[in-house]
Amino acid sequence: MTARETAVAVAHPNIALIKYWGKRDEHLVLPVTDSLSMTLDVFPTTTAVRLDPDAAADHVVMDGVLARGEVLRRATTFLDLVRERAGRLERAVVDTRNTVPVGAGLASSASGFAALALAAAQAYGLPGDAEQLSRLARRGSGSAARSVFGGFVVWHAGPPDAADPDHASYAEPVTDAHLDAALVAVVLEEGPKPVSSREAMRRTVATSPLYRDWVTDSRADLARMHTALGEGDMAAVGAITERNALGMHATMEAARPAVRYRTAATDAVLGHIRRLREEGVGAWATMDAGPNVKVLCASADARRIAARMRETTDARVIVAHSGPGARLQRVTA
Ligand code: 2P0
């Protein structure tokens, strides 16, 4: 690439069925536990990166607004890492467009850093395969490691005593999953969250008396999840997903001070999902760092469940299926 060329990459968000909640190394973004997600086919982020040899600083525009403060700092820190690895000094012009509400617990940082990692690696001429790209994206935001791949994806925490812990922590596709699942997102709130997931994780690891048990449980959940995905057992995948999410929220709600993302509206949707199950409909809940609820179900049931959610809430309801990994859209002069 020459300095005039622009690399454009697209990545989709992912929703964890087995959650990532807590880091063992903040700088390297190493998680305490493995996590497992499904990449979605909605809300892509498209990011363009162009090198500017004349610029004194990175210029980052997010959804048409010039980034400052924490958003700019995180992007620049990430670009510094890419520059260091590529042995380049030029600053970058970054234009990123989200289609997901930022900060609403629908993981815009996952699609954002996966797209930025791919576009920046291309623009700076950094070689590497998808696994290597996943390690790089992880440094921007943990969950971005998973958005590099499509379908079901597992992110390995890596052994705590690994000689090269950065190398040991990466995501890869779950190749033996036999399940056509969908997610029905019930978007209750689209505003920014009261506590960032980064801060909430920190507080949970440092102060929650339930955290150790959650880690033990989550490891067992992951092993059971692999079996359930391999067997295409929707009911088992759903049940493990729901209890893993509820366990994550319980551990953070026990932190001091408590982190509470669930609202009365969240609990009402959880009640609707429980009632659907009592009627024999296969629907299971998961929630992230926000009040919104995502309903995991078989693809064949998604439209019917979405219709029921629209009847029972005023929320925006979006149906998502399995989506693709990050890809380069174009490299233009
Ligand atoms: C996940 N979440 O597994 C979990 C569940 C939210 C709840 O990953 O600090 O933006 O940038 O590594 O990836 C959201 O946290 O956090 C997240 P950082 P990230 O999807």
Side-chain angles (χ1 to χ4, degrees):
M1 288 205 20
T2 71
R4 286 177 195 286
E5 287 173 333
T6 302
V8 183
V10 182
H12 288 75
N14 68 78
I15 295 293
L17 311 187
I18 303 293
K19 303 296 186 187
Y20 149 51
W21 197 253
K23 297 177 184 61
R24 63 179 208 278
D25 185 314
E26 290 254 346
H27 177 66
L28 292 176
V29 194
L30 298 174
V32 175
T33 57
D34 296 353
S35 55
L36 189 148
S37 58
M38 185 171 118
T39 301
L40 306 182
D41 63 348
V42 295
F43 299 140
T45 298
T46 304
T47 298
V49 176
R50 178 173 61 82
L51 306 197
D52 183 351
D54 302 322
D58 295 316
H59 182 94
V60 178
V61 175
M62 186 189 270
D63 298 321
V65 178
L66 186 63
R68 300 175 188 283
E70 181 62 10
V71 174
L72 178 63
R73 194 195 61 75
R74 273 182 76 171
T76 298
T77 302
F78 184 78
L79 291 166
D80 283 343
L81 176 68
V82 177
R83 282 187 280 263
E84 184 194 313
R85 291 191 174 173
R88 303 278 290 260
L89 294 170
E90 302 95 318
R91 299 282 144 176
V93 176
V94 178
D95 186 349
T96 186
R97 286 171 201 277
N98 289 295
T99 49
V100 57
V102 173
L106 280 168
S108 63
S109 73
S111 52
F113 276 102
L116 180 60
L118 180 53
Q122 174 73 25
Y124 282 99
L126 195 61
D129 58 9
E131 196 180 288
Q132 190 52 31
L133 184 68
S134 151
R135 290 187 188 94
L136 179 65
R138 190 197 81 231
R139 296 288 294 271
S141 190
S143 53
R146 300 186 310 236
S147 274
V148 166
F149 299 99
F152 293 105
V153 178
V154 62
W155 170 21
H156 305 288
D161 56 354
D164 183 351
D166 179 65
H167 190 78
S169 185
Y170 60 92
E172 63 179 344
V174 177
T175 50
D176 59 347
H178 301 287
L179 195 69
D180 187 6
L183 269 167
V184 178
V186 181
V187 185
L188 298 166
E189 284 179 32
E190 306 200 13
K193 48 200 167 200
V195 185
S196 73
S197 51
R198 197 156 274 207
E199 165 57 22
M201 283 185 206
R202 203 177 281 146
R203 203 187 290 174
T204 306
V205 175
T207 70
S208 175
L210 305 186
Y211 188 67
R212 273 167 168 270
D213 284 346
W214 185 79
V215 167
T216 308
D217 253 29
S218 194
R219 288 188 177 134
D221 282 349
L222 182 77
R224 291 189 200 103
M225 181 61 88
H226 273 296
T227 305
L229 283 173
E231 292 173 350
D233 185 344
M234 186 68 237
V237 169
I240 300 163
T241 297
E242 184 167 306
R243 74 164 182 246
N244 188 269
L246 290 172
M248 178 187 73
H249 282 269
T251 188
M252 70 175 90
E253 285 168 18
R256 293 156 194 175
V259 179
R260 190 170 170 83
Y261 290 120
R262 289 167 60 169
T263 63
T266 309
D267 289 343
V269 175
L270 294 181
H272 298 320
I273 294 169
R274 220 168 25 240
R275 279 189 287 282
L276 278 176
R277 277 211 300 277
E278 283 161 11
E279 291 172 21
V281 179
W284 294 269
T286 187
M287 299 100 68
D288 294 292
N292 302 320
V293 180
K294 296 99 187 184
V295 190
L296 183 70
C297 58
S299 262
D301 294 334
R303 283 170 67 100
R304 179 162 60 122
I305 291 169
R308 288 292 294 275
M309 289 293 139
R310 289 189 185 105
E311 275 167 26
T312 42
T313 70
D314 296 331
R316 209 170 134 213
V317 176
I318 293 138
V319 176
H321 296 272
S322 179
R327 65 177 195 279
L328 266 182
Q329 195 176 58
R330 61 192 160 89
V331 179
T332 53

